[in-house]
């Protein structure tokens, strides 16, 4: 398995000190989630430098609430602890690859500067 099932038990340990994390929010009853699962799993296998996680929203409601996820499937991309992608809906393989490339290419110094100016 190239991804981690994210739970409230392993949340902090999994999220701490990871440069890039992708979270797939899904539910057992969700048809598009089932179609997206192999795409996400393939992306995880192809990118061992990234932490890929999955959250079953029915079983891990606290995590879904923490990220304000109300629709599945949703993919959240986190870089240096900052949410940089929040994508609702099923993605194609090419779409997932594009998200990964985008997250890897983000200038995080610029993002931090923008966040600081918004807070100030």
């Amino acid at each position: 398995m190239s991804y981690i099932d994210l739970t409230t038990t392993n949340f902090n340990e999994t999220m701490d000190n990871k440069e890039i994390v992708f979270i797939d929010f899904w539910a057992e009853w969700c048809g598009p989630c089932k179609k997206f699962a192999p795409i996400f799993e393939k992306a995880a296998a192809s990118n061992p430098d990234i932490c890929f996680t999955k959250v079953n929203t029915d079983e891990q409601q606290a995590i879904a609430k923490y990220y304000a996820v109300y629709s599945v499937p949703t993919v959240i991309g986190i870089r240096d602890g900052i949410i940089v992608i929040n994508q609702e809906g099923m993605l194609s393989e090419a779409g997932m690859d594009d998200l990964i490339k985008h997250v890897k290419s983000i200038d995080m110094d610029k993002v931090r500067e923008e966040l600081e100016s918004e807070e100030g």
Side-chain angles (χ1 to χ4, degrees):
M1 181 174 8
S2 301
Y3 64 87
I4 298 166
D5 286 315
L6 193 60
T7 66
T8 54
T9 305
N10 68 5
F11 181 83
N12 288 337
E13 175 188 340
T14 302
M15 300 301 287
D16 286 348
N17 304 315
K18 303 285 191 302
E19 181 184 359
I20 299 175
V21 178
F22 277 93
I23 308 172
D24 172 21
F25 290 88
W26 67 281
E28 187 66 40
W29 48 263
C30 169
C33 296
K34 290 179 182 180
K35 290 180 182 176
F36 178 62
I39 294 167
F40 189 82
E41 291 164 17
K42 183 176 180 183
S46 299
N47 294 277
D49 56 322
I50 296 174
C51 179
F52 285 83
T53 67
K54 292 177 73 76
V55 173
N56 181 327
T57 57
D58 291 331
E59 295 175 2
Q60 302 298 322
Q61 293 177 9
I63 297 173
K65 185 177 181 180
Y66 178 78
Y67 287 106
V69 171
Y70 301 107
S71 137
V72 289
T74 293
V75 173
I76 290 183
I78 301 168
R79 179 137 176 226
D80 297 341
I82 300 169
I83 297 171
V84 293
I85 294 287
N86 185 334
Q87 177 69 48
E88 292 182 3
M90 192 182 125
L91 293 164
S92 66
E93 192 172 324
M96 187 67 205
D97 290 343
D98 288 346
L99 274 186
I100 293 166
K101 288 174 190 165
H102 174 70
V103 170
K104 284 182 172 182
S105 72
I106 293 173
D107 179 346
M108 291 308 294
D109 290 332
K110 185 175 179 182
V111 169
R112 282 187 280 278
E113 286 175 17
E114 290 173 5
L115 287 173
E116 287 175 16
S117 69
E118 288 176 10
E119 291 173 2

